[in-house]
Each structure stands twice: as C-alpha cells, then as structure tokens.
C-alpha cells in the first residue's frame, strides 16, 4: 500500500507535475513541497479554470488538504503573500488549517534577487534569487522563516499563523497512517548534485531531497514516481542532446500556440527547427514563471533511465502525449555516441554531454486528436505502440498517461504505486 508517494520531475522540468499532483491529490491528506522556491511554475486546470502556482503546493485548491512548504524550500514572503491573496480573491480561504510553512525554510531577500539578476545570466536562471538564497543558507548567514515572522511587518504578520515545525507535522501524519503526497519542483537533470552542473538549480529536486527537505527518513517513503513528457524540453542554458533547432532560431520565433500547415509539413520533412517549433507551439512550451520559450527535443531514454536510477522510481507518468499528434515519425533517443563511442549511461558532466550525438529509433506517428480519449485501447494504435516501446526501453511501467491539462484527461494504466 502506498501512503507516502514522492512525485519528481524526470527531465529538465516543466513535465506537468502540477497537474499530476492535482490529479493524485484527491486521495491525499497532506501535499508537501520540499525544495526550490518560486522558480517553479505549476499550472493546474480544473473545469476549464486555470490556476498558476509558484510556491503553494497544487493541493491548495482541494479544500480539505493540509499543504506544506518544507524546510528545504526557499521562500520569497512577498510572492507567497501575493499568491495567497490571488487565491483568496478567487474565493479560497487560506490559513493555518490548510497551509503549514516550515519555520526552518529560508527567506529570499531583495539582495538575493538583485544578485541573481546580476550574475545568473550564464546559467540562465529564473532571476528569483534562488541560488543566492541557498548560498546564504550554506554559508550560515541566511534568515529562516521562524526568525522572519518573529519580527513585525506586513508579510510577517500575514504568514506568522502558518509558520510552524512542519517536520513534526509530517512525521506525525505519516505515523498516524495519513496519505502524504510529496510534490517535487524542478527536476532530476536540474539537481545541484546529479544534474548537468553548472546549468542546474541550487537545490536537490530528486527524491533524496524529499528526505532532507521535509525531515523524513528514507524508510518513510513508499513509492517514487517520475514525471516525463512524451518529448523533452529545457529552459535556460546547458547541453541538450536531442534538441530540435537551436536556441538562436527559437529566439527569433513569435510566441504562439498554433502551427501552420507549413510548420507541420516541414517538421515531417525532418527539418529540426520545425520539429522543435511544432512541439513548442502544440505543447504551449512557454515558462509559467518567466514566459521564456522552452527548447524542445525528442524523448531521451538515456536521460530517463538515469532519472529512474537516481530517484529509485517504481513507475513513470508520461504527459503531453497529445502534443505529438500530426507528426508522421516520432523519434526516441536510445543511446548516445560520444567521440565515436556508443554510450548508454548519462555522462556526469555538461561538457561531455554537449558532445553527445543521439542514436534514434524512429516510430510511426498518428494524426488524430487524442485529447478527449479516456482509455488506452481507444488511442490510435501508433500512440499505443509508442507508449509500449518507451515503457520497454525504460524498464519501468507507465502508471498514468496524460493527454491534456485537465483532470479528466488522465488515463490510469497501473494504479499499484498510486495513493
Ligand atoms: P534557478 O533555479 O532560478 O537558479 O535557475 C537555474 C536553472 O534551472 C535555469 O536553467 C532555469 O531555467 C532552470 N529552472 C529553474 N526552475 C525551473 C522550472 O521550474 N522549470 C524548468 N527549468 C527551471
């Protein structure tokens, strides 16, 4: 039985974790975030209504849940208060009954933001002060939420009732048999230790971070599920073997969520940039936090298998399968070639990865719009074959397929590991 389930990003972020957490949150008593801050952006669509979160866990729109911001997070009090006010204006009530903020989480200050804006360009950070705040934490010069709310001030007064010892709360809840959903932000390949350093974030978004970022022991976790898109994207700089088109070509492109027939036809003639453009536009691949266009590429099994190992994933969720509709051939990267040698293991450094040439397997695509299909066997055969093939290559089962942003657009294939 799964009582404590950790959800992590399996790629470079933006895999659609928010919508999956929202879907799974129905059965959870607690929804907890453990790392990162408002560099994250989660979009959840409920009955056509769009909610965007940066700090609050996606469970916040389920009235009966406790939502928890763990000690591993970095919190900008101004942004958190704004996010709470926005939801309050939409009719939600947010207080100590449904939101618990760790007194040990670190506070992002204006100095952190200024430093990030001045120095984050090389990595392509989100400019939210994340790295400098974690730097202060490690240098032991930071301010924690407990100290922040002990001093008076507009934001401190608003947040004070919700700031508490979340470590005790989460452990007590697990002991009492409550269902705990742990929501990762960012993703494995952006992990400060396991990602494509230095083009990474400054925390541990992978499953190990759930233990340190919440104060729970590894034996408390029953299951880890990784979320990956049916293709892959990256925001910011760093190596990206299966990227289609260059960042320079992408920068010249107009932001839009529709493609022309010419775009699709040129993508189907194997013009890399057009494949990237079709994925970006059909997938609405523009950052929730910064609005930046995302670099897009084919599904990368080497990266996925690495993420499966790093996190100890027992299943994966594949999102945005609908975005591939219209592509005649769909490629999957099964290995890399680096300096003339075949490589099946994700290299430990960004420089080596930047020399990796993907080895592709080509699979048949499909034309149909699949966004309203609710069972696997109703999917076009080519879509079924695609999912079965990547499942076989990854070596772990696909628990859920997502064919659109709404709750009703999730197809459960295997519920064993779910709450
Ligand atoms: P930072 O987390 O703002 O320091 O940014 C470091 C790197 O992580 C940059 O390449 C960002 O684009 C990337 N990053 C941070 N948060 C996210 C996210 O939620 N999705 C995708 N990329 C992210």
């Amino acid at each position: 039985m799964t009582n404590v389930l950790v959800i992590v990003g399996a790629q470079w972020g933006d895999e659609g974790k928010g919508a999956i957490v929202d879907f799974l949150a129905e059965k959870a008593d607690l929804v907890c975030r453990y790392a990162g801050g408002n560099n994250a952006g989660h979009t959840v669509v409920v009955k056509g209504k769009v909610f965007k979160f940066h700090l609050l866990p996606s469970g916040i729109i389920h009235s009966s849940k406790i939502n928890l911001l763990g000690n591993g997070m970095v919190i900008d009090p101004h942004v958190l208060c704004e996010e709470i006010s926005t939801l309050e204006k939409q009719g939600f009530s947010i207080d100590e009954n449904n939101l618990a903020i760790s007194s040990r989480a670190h506070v992002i200050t204006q100095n952190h933001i200024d430093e990030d804006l001045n120095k984050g360009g090389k990595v392509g950070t989100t400019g939210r002060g994340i790295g400098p705040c974690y730097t202060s934490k490690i240098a032991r010069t930071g301010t924690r939420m407990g100290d922040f709310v002990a001093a008076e001030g507009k934001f401190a007064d608003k947040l004070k009732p919700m700031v508490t010892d979340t470590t005790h709360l989460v452990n007590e809840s697990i002991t009492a048999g409550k269902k705990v959903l742990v929501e990762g932000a960012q993703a494995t390949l952006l992990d400060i230790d396991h990602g494509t350093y230095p083009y990474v974030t400054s925390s541990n978004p992978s499953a190990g971070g759930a233990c340190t970022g919440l104060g729970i022991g590894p034996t408390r976790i029953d299951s880890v599920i990784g979320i990956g898109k049916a293709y892959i994207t990256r925001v910011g700089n760093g190596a990206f073997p299966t990227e289609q088109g260059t960042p320079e070509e992408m920068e010249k492109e107009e932001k839009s969520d529709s493609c022309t027939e010419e775009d699709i036809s040129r993508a189907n003639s194997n013009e890399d940039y057009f494949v990237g453009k079709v994925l970006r536009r059909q997938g609405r691949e523009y950052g929730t936090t910064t609005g930046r266009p995302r670099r897009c590429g084919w599904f990368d099994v080497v990266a996925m298998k690495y993420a499966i190992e790093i996190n100890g994933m027992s299943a994966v969720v594949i999102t945005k399968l609908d975005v591939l509709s219209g592509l005649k051939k769909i490629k999957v990267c099964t290995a890399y070639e680096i300096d003339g040698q075949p490589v099946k293991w994700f290299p430990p450094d960004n420089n080596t990865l930047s020399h990796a040439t993907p080895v592709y397997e080509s699979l048949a695509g499909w034309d149909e719009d699949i966004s309203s299909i609710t069972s696997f066997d109703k999917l076009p055969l080519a879509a079924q074959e695609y999912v079965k093939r990547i499942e076989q290559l990854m070596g772990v089962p696909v628990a859920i397929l997502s064919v659109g942003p709404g709750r009703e657009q999730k197809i459960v294939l295997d519920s064993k590991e779910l709450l």
Side-chain angles (χ1 to χ4, degrees), residues 12-14 39-41 123-127 130 186 190 200-201 235-236 292:
W12 274 294
D14 310 310
N39 46 348
V123 170
T125 67
T126 59
I130 307 297
Q186 287 79 49
L190 290 172
V200 290
T201 191
V235 198
R292 288 185 288 179

Side-chain angles (χ1 to χ4, degrees), residues 387-409:
V387 174
K388 283 194 214 149
R389 182 63 185 140
I390 58 175
E391 190 172 50
Q392 188 183 38
L393 288 164
M394 292 185 301
V396 292
V398 175
I400 303 175
L401 272 181
S402 172
V403 293
R407 279 183 191 167
E408 65 295 348
Q409 291 170 300

Side-chain angles (χ1 to χ4, degrees), residues 263-281:
D263 292 335
I264 300 206
S265 139
R266 293 182 73 172
N268 284 331
S269 309
N270 269 328
E271 287 188 56
D272 290 358
Y273 163 65
F274 285 91
V275 172
K277 184 177 180 189
V278 167
L279 293 174
R280 190 159 38 252
R281 290 191 163 190

Side-chain angles (χ1 to χ4, degrees), residues 175 177 214 340 358 400:
T175 303
L214 289 176
I400 303 175

Side-chain angles (χ1 to χ4, degrees), residues 237-394:
N237 302 329
F240 183 176
T242 65
E243 180 167 22
Q244 298 296 295
T246 64
E248 294 70 36
E249 286 172 308
M250 180 181 78
E251 291 307 332
K252 288 188 213 136
E253 186 186 295
E254 230 173 86
K255 183 175 169 177
S256 162
D257 54 17
S258 62
C259 302
T260 61
E261 278 186 16
E262 188 194 338
D263 292 335
I264 300 206
S265 139
R266 293 182 73 172
N268 284 331
S269 309
N270 269 328
E271 287 188 56
D272 290 358
Y273 163 65
F274 285 91
V275 172
K277 184 177 180 189
V278 167
L279 293 174
R280 190 159 38 252
R281 290 191 163 190
Q282 296 200 152
R284 296 182 183 82
E285 296 294 353
Y286 302 95
T288 316
T289 300
T290 56
R292 288 185 288 179
R294 298 178 184 142
R295 302 156 67 192
C296 297
W298 295 119
F299 192 82
D300 185 337
V301 175
V302 185
M304 200 70 186
K305 286 184 89 158
Y306 175 67
I308 288 166
E309 291 209 340
I310 298 296
N311 294 291
M313 284 177 206
S314 35
V316 302
V317 171
I318 297 293
T319 60
K320 294 192 149 185
L321 187 66
D322 54 303
V323 172
L324 298 178
S325 289
L327 293 169
K328 296 262 175 272
K329 286 263 171 249
I330 300 173
K331 290 189 191 170
V332 176
C333 167
T334 55
Y336 301 145
E337 204 179 277
I338 302 177
D339 299 330
Q341 298 299 315
V343 174
K344 287 212 161 191
W345 176 248
F346 196 75
D349 69 283
N350 185 71
N351 188 33
T352 312
L353 189 68
S354 67
H355 293 113
T357 309
V359 177
Y360 286 118
E361 185 173 308
S362 217
L363 298 163
W366 60 91
D367 273 331
E368 299 90 325
D369 173 5
I370 59 169
S371 59
S372 49
I373 290 181
T374 52
S375 72
F376 184 73
D377 49 13
K378 297 262 161 53
L379 287 169
L381 276 182
Q384 294 186 25
E385 288 304 323
Y386 179 70
V387 174
K388 283 194 214 149
R389 182 63 185 140
I390 58 175
E391 190 172 50
Q392 188 183 38
L393 288 164
M394 292 185 301

Side-chain angles (χ1 to χ4, degrees), residues 31-54:
V31 184
C32 311
R33 265 196 67 181
Y34 59 88
N38 59 314
N39 46 348
H42 292 167
T43 307
V44 178
V45 181
V46 183
K47 295 196 178 116
K49 210 166 164 192
V50 180
F51 298 91
K52 290 185 193 247
F53 304 113
H54 297 287

